Amino acid sequence: MKKNYLLIIIFGFLISCSENKNQNVDISIVIHGGAGTMDREKMSVEKEIEYKKVLEEALNKGYEILEKNGTSEKAVIEAIKVMEDSPLFNAGKGAVLDERGEASLDASFMSGKNLNAGAIAGVKKIKNPILAAYSVMKNTPQVLLISEGADQFALEQGLDTVDNSYFITERRRTQLIKNKSLSQIKNKKELLSPVSKFGTVGCVALDKNGNLSAGTSTGGRSNKKWGRVGDVPIIGAGNYANNNTCAISATGWGEFFIRNVVAYDISSLVEYKNLNIKEATKISLDKVKKLGGSGGVIALDKFGNYAMEFNTKGMYRGVKDSKGNFKVSIFKSD
Ligand code: ASP
């Protein structure tokens, strides 16, 4: 009798231990606002403060959700919305313009819990493209919707839609003119090289239930060919999440990220080679560089370990987690 009683106590203790293990204590959010050729000498102190303010706002918004037991899905969406609404970044308002002078936006979302994913490409009217990508995931059996079909879908979902002029800023008009004139004097190969900063936005998060999510949103590349779609809405290239491995959001020269299937490559390095997140991101970005591409990634594993790797001069980036990290940075030396 006494023995049985003891067994019950031990059994109860073991169950409570395993429950605590499932209740992931580490929560974390990591963001980027694009990688590129930014120079410290060329950025005014005021501009730097402006960028950092929005990055902090995005981190705080997402972290607050995680702290209150919210899902990583919600945290990623809300953090990305902050950056899409800011004209500083190449996503939503302030997106770069294509060769025809229009904003054409791509976004994707993935949930690591069930490998569900949604994406939209070449949309011109959706105020917050990340919301449309999320709706594709949540409310349709499809993964990727494009152009007018995706714009129409957003309308049907009751998402905010705007005229294309909402996205266009003076800064992006000037950038387009500059890139167009550069393209006339350079040969085709040079034309493909990154003549300006990138500025895509992305977010990965881990919630108290151990669920990872990833989201990415972009206007693509300035002066891009009409109809061009980059890596961002290609699941596994610019965005990926899997609770068994990690969540990744990429930024950079999209064609190279597609050809290297970067986000899935990183997840696979973690899954099959047991590499840690830093090693995995470095290896994958080196492959991009070898082919002639450039850019960066943020990644977060199921334990809350993170990486913010890039092979450009800088990457707008930040992290906030329950281990006490809270940091936003821009340049390599930061
Ligand atoms: N990866 C994006 C694209 O090629 C651009 C960026 O990250 O800035 O569309």
Side-chain angles (χ1 to χ4, degrees):
M1 185 69 188
K2 235 183 179 178
K3 205 173 154 198
N4 280 350
Y5 193 61
L6 198 68
L7 275 175
I8 288 168
I9 290 176
I10 292 172
F11 192 60
F13 175 73
L14 287 176
I15 285 180
S16 86
C17 282
S18 81
E19 269 170 5
N20 281 342
K21 220 174 149 200
N22 286 337
Q23 278 272 310
N24 200 312
V25 281
D26 286 322
I27 53 171
S28 178
I29 180 162
V30 187
I31 56 171
H32 72 75
T37 55
M38 58 278 267
D39 279 317
R40 188 186 283 280
E41 308 79 55
K42 286 190 191 144
M43 185 179 276
S44 67
V45 178
E46 293 77 26
K47 260 270 152 330
E48 193 174 332
I49 292 172
E50 235 184 289
Y51 272 103
K52 287 187 169 171
K53 205 173 140 220
V54 182
L55 292 173
E56 274 177 20
E57 195 192 322
L59 282 176
N60 284 331
K61 193 96 186 225
Y63 193 78
E64 206 183 309
I65 292 165
L66 297 173
E67 241 183 348
K68 289 183 180 153
N69 247 329
T71 64
S72 57
E73 291 188 356
K74 186 139 198 272
V76 166
I77 295 286
E78 292 303 322
I80 288 187
K81 264 172 69 189
V82 169
M83 294 186 281
E84 283 183 339
D85 290 342
S86 162
L88 293 176
F89 299 98
N90 173 18
K93 189 169 184 65
V96 299
L97 308 178
D98 66 11
E99 62 181 358
R100 302 192 347 162
E102 284 183 320
S104 162
L105 312 160
D106 305 334
S108 65
F109 189 94
M110 187 152 180
S111 180
K113 181 170 59 180
N114 43 25
L115 303 188
N116 279 346
I120 46 109
V123 299
K124 304 226 164 115
K125 294 184 182 152
I126 306 169
K127 184 168 178 263
N128 289 106
I130 194 66
L131 288 179
Y134 187 66
S135 290
V136 171
M137 179 186 97
K138 278 280 177 201
N139 305 331
T140 83
Q142 285 82 34
V143 170
L144 173 61
L145 296 181
I146 64 161
S147 59
E148 285 102 343
D151 276 323
Q152 177 61 29
F153 166 75
L155 260 175
E156 287 161 10
Q157 291 287 306
L159 299 179
D160 284 349
T161 50
V162 289
D163 189 78
N164 199 257
S165 60
Y166 161 82
F167 301 109
I168 302 175
T169 59
E170 207 39 55
R171 173 179 169 224
R172 298 306 189 188
R173 271 211 194 94
T174 313
Q175 186 184 42
L176 178 64
I177 294 166
K178 193 174 146 202
N179 283 339
K180 271 190 188 292
S181 60
L182 270 175
S183 71
Q184 273 158 16
I185 47 174
K186 293 196 168 195
N187 67 36
K188 201 173 161 246
K189 191 154 187 266
E190 284 172 321
L191 173 67
L192 280 170
S193 74
V195 287
S196 59
K197 296 171 200 70
F198 297 122
T200 294
V201 305
C203 177
V204 289
L206 174 67
D207 64 31
K208 284 190 180 161
N209 289 317
N211 289 319
L212 287 163
S213 296
T216 312
S217 179
T218 189
R221 305 196 64 205
S222 176
N223 200 24
K224 67 184 178 184
K225 189 162 179 54
W226 183 42
R228 180 262 190 192
V229 171
D231 58 317
V232 168
I234 312 295
I235 300 299
N239 202 63
Y240 194 74
N242 181 344
N243 274 6
N244 291 326
T245 55
C246 53
I248 300 113
S249 169
T251 175
W253 197 345
E255 281 71 10
F256 290 87
F257 283 73
I258 295 174
R259 289 163 62 201
N260 281 291
V261 204
V262 170
Y264 186 70
D265 190 44
I266 293 169
S267 171
S268 296
L269 287 167
V270 173
E271 186 170 6
Y272 303 130
K273 283 205 144 189
N274 236 336
L275 297 189
N276 70 46
I277 202 77
K278 286 224 163 89
E279 293 165 337
T281 49
K282 272 194 190 124
I283 288 176
S284 204
L285 278 180
D286 278 352
K287 290 201 263 179
V288 168
K289 200 171 177 185
K290 248 189 204 146
L291 279 191
S294 59
V297 294
I298 50 168
L300 183 61
D301 73 13
K302 57 181 175 179
F303 307 109
N305 301 310
Y306 69 90
M308 303 191 283
E309 285 295 320
F310 50 99
N311 56 29
T312 50
K313 281 192 174 173
M315 179 165 84
Y316 300 103
R317 61 198 187 277
V319 57
K320 186 165 182 173
D321 65 23
S322 52
K323 292 174 185 158
N325 294 302
F326 186 22
K327 191 179 169 200
V328 293
S329 322
I330 300 176
F331 305 101
K332 198 140 223 169
S333 52
D334 284 347

